[in-house]
């Protein structure tokens, strides 16, 4: 199947230069054959499908590097809120065609549909607990039409904490991290409140970067240092994905800056940074510290972030950070919650939450997120997330892009929030407006690079033909909410918001995972035997039960493994 998209402007700054450098007549054709983008034929070959895209722009499929779409925490949230959520009602929500939909916590198939409707084709689940990896992959396999992957959650598991406490050689830490990645079929490593989830189980209620663990004496700074080094030395493309200490606590910017220092220059990615960017100034003892993080990023090029922008309205917060979810239970709306101790690996807290536009703290949180987006001038170092569903649903992305692209719209929205929060924010004085190039970099090119997804995120020949056609218009929100067409692996899957090629939704999608055999990582049998013995002593089942093999992924869990996530040799891979 040879397809040609004619007469559009192709937005891929790395390949075609910036859109501002193109004239209105500088249009190009994009060709793809079957699943891959190809060079234009030189022999005048006629395409099987020709699409007139005059007045449109074309981008690669969107990539969301942090969205909670699978696993036990999502299931617990649906169970907790079953009395409120449409999937368990007989009636249909207003304007919806299926009962299995929810504004902020949709079912897996509805999640896929809403992402595809916006032009997103790849989504990453950022918190896969090893003992629950099968469940997470099984649920993500139901997000049909979307390629998925997960981040293995480490840093609160007893085995790793023991190894660090014993001052084990870095090579031993590396072997443990590598084995867990392979066993769980994940693409990256994440740490949540390093050591804090474990410390919470010993009745610790506050835990900072230099606080010793009450049992083993390990500090979060040590955990960050050894894990960031392990991730780098193993050769993973994505840096250690860090949920910092003291989420949501006024003054937590000090912990965030200490986290950056603890990495000792190794690459790190700070996730939902808006929730870790608070000072204690002003009459409310709660202030924006966005400028401090921005300045720190200028000094530390090893740091990237995603924002975790909040949206006003009802949502539910789900996190492995039981310490801070426990503190948030007093703010639950409605007043109920779930806190779970998961084996000896981590935890889980589910707390419903409602962000109010006229609440000072919530209004300032909203402004802080936008400050980060706009003050960090390199769109390849800041990524579009709402930490779905924690800050709000991912369906808010088109509106967020409009706020970033239109200063007048932003100022109108700023005038509608709590007056004291608006006065305390620097947002009003920021003139910057995102261009379509910035948007393409932040949501396509940069996520692909930082995740080691060499086959997507760009319109270059040889890449997967995940392609989106947007009708160019002044209203950015409308433009990005309903693309003209969405192609997944070269096949049209959406047309003006309508699902086409339904049979494609029944085919197994790809699970993006590292294959460390390709990186020539040897698993020392003696080390694995030691890990096995430690796990047997402190866990509740055998270590080997964590291992998910290729056949199980496809035949039982319903997804095809695709190797990804390693740094390429020209980017300094140590493998």
């Amino acid at each position: 199947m040879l397809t040609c998209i004619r007469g559009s402007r192709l937005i891929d700054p790395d390949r075609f230069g910036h859109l501002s450098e193109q004239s209105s007549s500088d249009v190009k054709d994009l060709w793809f054959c079957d699943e891959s983008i190809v060079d234009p034929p030189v022999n005048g070959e006629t395409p099987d499908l020709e699409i007139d895209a005059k007045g449109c722009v074309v981008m690669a499929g969107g990539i969301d590097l942090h969205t909670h779409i699978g696993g036990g925490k999502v299931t617990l949230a649906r169970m907790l809120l079953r009395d409120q959520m449409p999937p368990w009602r007989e009636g249909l929500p207003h304007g919806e065609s299926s009962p299995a939909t929810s504004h902020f916590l949709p079912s897996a198939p509805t999640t896929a549909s809403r992402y595809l409707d916006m032009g997103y084709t790849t989504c990453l689940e950022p918190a896969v607990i090893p003992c629950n990896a099968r469940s997470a992959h099984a649920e993500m396999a139901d997000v049909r039409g979307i390629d998925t992957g997960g981040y293995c959650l480490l840093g609160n598991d007893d085995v790793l904490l023991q190894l660090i406490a014993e001052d084990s050689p870095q090579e031993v830490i590396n072997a443990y991290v590598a084995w867990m990645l392979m066993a769980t079929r994940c693409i990256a490593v994440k740490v949540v409140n390093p050591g804090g989830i474990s410390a919470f189980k010993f009745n610790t209620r506050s835990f900072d970067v230099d606080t010793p663990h009450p049992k083993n004496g390990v500090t979060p700074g040590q955990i960050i240092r050894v894990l960031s080094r392990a991730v780098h030395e193993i050769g993973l493309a994505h840096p250690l994905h860090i949920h910092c200490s003291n989420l949501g606590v006024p003054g937590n910017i000090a912990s965030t800056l200490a986290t950056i220092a603890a990495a000792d220059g190794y690459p790190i990615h700070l996730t939902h940074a808006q929730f870790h960017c608070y000072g204690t100034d002003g009459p409310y003892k709660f202030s924006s510290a966005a400028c401090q993080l921005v300045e720190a990023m200028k000094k530390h090029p090893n740091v990237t972030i995603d924002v975790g922008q909040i949206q006003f309205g009802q949502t539910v917060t789900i996190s492995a950070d039981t310490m801070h979810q426990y503190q948030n239970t007093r703010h639950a709306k409605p007043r109920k919650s779930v806190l779970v101790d998961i084996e000896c690996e981590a935890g889980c807290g589910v707390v419903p939450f409602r962000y109010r536009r006229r609440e000072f703290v919530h209004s300032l949180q909203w402004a802080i997120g936008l400050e980060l987006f706009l003050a960090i001038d390199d769109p390849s170092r800041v990524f579009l997330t709402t930490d779905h569903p924690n800050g709000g649903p991912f369906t808010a992305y088109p509106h967020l892009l409009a706020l970033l692209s239109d200063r007048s719209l932003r100022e109108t929205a700023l005038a509608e929030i709590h007056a004291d929060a608006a006065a305390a924010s620097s947002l009003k004085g920021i003139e910057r407006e995102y261009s379509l190039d910035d948007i393409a970099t932040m949501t396509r090119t940069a996520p692909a690079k930082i995740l080691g997804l060499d086959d997507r995120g760009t319109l270059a020949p040889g890449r997967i033909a995940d392609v989106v056609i947007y009708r160019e218009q002044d209203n950015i929100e409308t433009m990005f909410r309903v693309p003209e067409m969405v192609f997944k692996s070269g096949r049209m899957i959406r047309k003006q918001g309508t699902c086409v090629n339904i049979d494609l939704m029944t085919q197994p999608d790809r699970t993006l995972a590292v294959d460390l055999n390709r990186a020539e990582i040897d698993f020392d049998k003696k080390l694995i035997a030691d890990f096995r013995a430690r796990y047997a002593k402190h866990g509740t089942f055998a270590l080997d039960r964590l291992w998910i093999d290729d056949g199980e992924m496809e035949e039982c869990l319903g997804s095809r493994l695709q190797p990804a996530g390693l740094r390429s040799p020209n980017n300094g891979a140590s493998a």
Side-chain angles (χ1 to χ4, degrees), residues 68 272 274-275 308-318 355 385-394 396:
H68 295 283
H272 41 68
Q274 178 277 135
F275 289 103
Q309 176 69 34
I310 76 156
Q311 289 295 288
F312 299 115
Q314 180 68 50
T315 190
V316 59
T317 62
I318 54 178
Y355 294 103
T385 66
T386 59
D387 188 21
H388 168 82
N390 291 296
F394 61 83

Side-chain angles (χ1 to χ4, degrees), residues 267-572:
I268 57 172
H269 179 89
L270 305 182
T271 191
H272 41 68
Q274 178 277 135
F275 289 103
H276 303 275
C277 219
Y278 305 149
T280 55
D281 297 333
Y284 296 89
K285 303 302 180 184
F286 182 84
S287 58
S288 171
C291 61
Q292 294 184 55
L293 180 55
V294 172
E295 288 303 312
M297 289 182 66
K298 291 178 181 178
K299 298 175 182 177
H300 298 276
N302 59 307
V303 179
T304 55
I305 70 166
D306 63 77
V307 171
Q309 176 69 34
I310 76 156
Q311 289 295 288
F312 299 115
Q314 180 68 50
T315 190
V316 59
T317 62
I318 54 178
S319 174
D321 193 350
T322 43
M323 177 180 289
H324 293 290
Q325 287 294 72
Y326 169 75
Q327 296 169 356
N328 289 335
T329 55
R330 66 184 186 274
H331 303 300
K333 291 183 177 58
R335 292 299 298 271
K336 54 184 177 179
S337 57
V338 173
L339 296 173
V340 181
D341 173 13
I342 302 174
E343 305 294 350
C344 295
E345 294 185 351
C348 180
V350 178
V351 182
F353 201 83
R354 185 177 302 127
Y355 294 103
R356 299 180 182 275
R357 194 181 302 273
R358 295 295 181 179
E359 173 75 30
F360 172 81
V361 170
H362 302 169
S363 289
L364 192 54
Q365 287 179 300
W366 175 86
I368 291 169
L370 294 176
E371 287 174 4
L372 289 171
F373 275 121
L374 294 162
I376 298 170
D377 57 10
D378 183 352
S380 68
R381 296 183 65 196
V382 56
F383 298 90
L384 179 65
T385 66
T386 59
D387 188 21
H388 168 82
N390 291 296
F394 61 83
T395 49
Y397 288 173
H399 178 63
L400 290 177
L401 293 176
L403 289 172
L404 296 175
S405 305
D406 187 340
R407 184 184 179 186
S408 62
L409 177 65
R410 201 159 61 229
E411 291 184 347
T412 299
L414 187 64
E416 296 173 350
I417 67 172
H418 192 287
D420 290 345
S425 169
S426 64
L427 192 58
K428 186 175 180 60
I430 301 178
E431 298 183 359
R432 181 186 175 194
E433 295 180 330
Y434 268 52
S435 67
L436 292 179
D437 292 304
D438 292 335
I439 292 171
T441 299
M442 180 175 65
T443 61
R444 272 86 173 164
T445 309
K449 287 181 178 178
I450 199 174
L451 288 163
L453 305 181
D454 298 332
D455 62 350
R456 65 195 68 207
T458 174
L459 301 175
R463 306 308 200 271
I464 291 175
D466 288 358
V467 176
V468 190
I469 304 174
Y470 295 102
R471 177 69 58 184
E472 195 166 9
Q473 51 191 296
D474 294 333
N475 190 318
I476 293 294
E477 181 170 354
T478 301
M479 175 179 170
F480 280 94
R481 187 166 297 284
V482 185
E484 289 289 298
M485 296 178 190
V486 179
F487 292 82
K488 180 73 181 72
S489 297
R491 299 179 64 183
M492 189 188 301
I493 198 168
R494 287 290 188 279
K495 185 174 183 178
Q496 296 177 337
T498 301
C499 181
V500 294
N501 272 334
I502 297 176
D503 61 315
L504 186 61
M505 303 293 285
T506 64
Q507 299 175 3
D509 297 301
R510 302 175 182 91
T511 292
L512 306 167
V514 292
D515 183 355
L516 294 176
N517 293 321
R518 297 184 174 212
E520 300 176 5
I521 298 291
D522 280 331
F523 296 114
D524 188 304
K525 292 182 179 179
K526 291 182 180 179
L527 289 179
I528 301 305
D530 178 53
F531 302 154
R532 190 177 287 120
R534 291 173 184 267
Y535 208 91
K537 183 177 181 180
H538 297 278
T540 56
F541 54 85
L543 177 72
D544 295 305
R545 291 186 179 273
L546 296 177
W547 193 277
I548 306 171
D549 62 36
D550 296 18
E552 183 180 357
M553 279 296 301
E554 187 161 357
E555 297 167 15
C556 299
L557 303 181
S559 185
R560 298 171 292 166
L561 279 171
Q562 176 171 318
L566 292 174
R567 293 199 309 275
S568 57
N570 58 359
N571 286 332

Side-chain angles (χ1 to χ4, degrees), residues 145-162:
I146 301 286
D147 291 339
T148 60
Y151 305 160
C152 181
L153 199 63
L154 299 174
N156 282 280
D157 46 312
D158 280 6
V159 172
L160 180 62
L161 294 179
Q162 288 170 12

Side-chain angles (χ1 to χ4, degrees), residues 250-268:
N252 63 11
I253 185 61
S255 300
T256 303
L257 299 179
T259 297
I260 294 174
D264 278 351
Y266 285 104
I268 57 172

Side-chain angles (χ1 to χ4, degrees), residues 58 164 184 190 196 233 314 333 431:
V58 174
I164 297 173
T184 57
K190 183 185 182 185
E233 292 185 354
Q314 180 68 50
K333 291 183 177 58
E431 298 183 359

